[in-house]
Amino acid sequence: MIKLLLTGLWVCVVTLGAVYFSVQMSAAPTPVDEEAKKKELLELVPGESITIPVISDGAITGYFLGRVSFMMDKQKITGVKLPITEVTTDELFTLLIGNKMVDLSKPGAFDLEKFRSSIKDGMNRKLGEGLVAEVLVEQLDYLSKEDIRNNASRGNKNPNPGRKIVEGVKIEAPQSSGH
């Protein structure tokens, strides 16, 4: 009988100890995931597809097809009065036409990180420092005038997709930004 009482007492002590330690461990502060915390402060501002002409020797030789989206600071974007889409389009035109960032004679020479940082820096200069946190390049392709003519002559059946400059990221279900 005493063995049965001691066994029951032992089971109670072990159970109470386990419950006590599990409560203590759950009450301990959990490590904060900095990456998740940063993403909570950002809002996706989806870009729209744009077509930028490539001008060489005074004539159009082809077109850049692009789509760039942005991760922007939620708090700072509420104070922006400019239309984000138009400002981003202007910045892309400036980079792709004005600065000649893409040299089509050297397809492998394109520096995606430099392209992203240039867009980010230009946008932050125009809209306010720290507004654009990340630039997401969804698409950047080149179609020559000949590619367009060939596609049109085939009735756009089996069109030539052109030269892919950047293999872009896919943006999942864009959130409404209210802009």
Side-chain angles (χ1 to χ4, degrees), residues 140-155:
L140 187 58
D141 300 334
Y142 174 77
L143 270 173
S144 69
K145 241 176 142 174
E146 291 77 33
D147 292 337
I148 295 169
R149 281 190 191 118
N150 290 338
N151 290 345
S153 69
R154 289 185 291 211

Side-chain angles (χ1 to χ4, degrees), residues 63-137:
Y63 296 90
F64 283 113
L65 308 173
R67 179 190 292 270
V68 177
S69 296
F70 302 92
M71 294 300 288
M72 295 187 171
D73 187 308
K74 281 183 183 177
Q75 293 174 339
K76 292 181 180 178
I77 199 170
T78 57
V80 173
K81 304 278 189 256
L82 296 171
I84 298 293
T85 305
E86 284 76 6
V87 173
T88 58
T89 302
D90 176 61
E91 190 63 29
L92 289 174
F93 266 88
T94 301
L95 282 171
L96 290 171
I97 294 176
N99 294 341
K100 299 284 187 194
M101 289 211 48
V102 180
D103 184 0
L104 294 171
S105 64
K106 302 174 191 166
F110 181 71
D111 185 358
L112 180 60
E113 289 308 314
K114 182 179 176 188
F115 182 70
R116 284 183 174 152
S117 67
S118 296
I119 293 173
K120 180 179 173 182
D121 294 344
M123 292 292 293
N124 283 332
R125 257 192 317 276
K126 284 185 182 184
L127 299 174
E129 203 54 46
L131 181 70
V132 176
E134 188 177 347
V135 176
L136 307 170
V137 179

Side-chain angles (χ1 to χ4, degrees), residues 32-42:
V32 178
D33 185 10
E34 291 296 321
E35 193 68 28
K37 190 175 178 183
K38 271 186 182 179
K39 288 194 180 210
E40 286 179 17
L41 299 174
L42 300 177

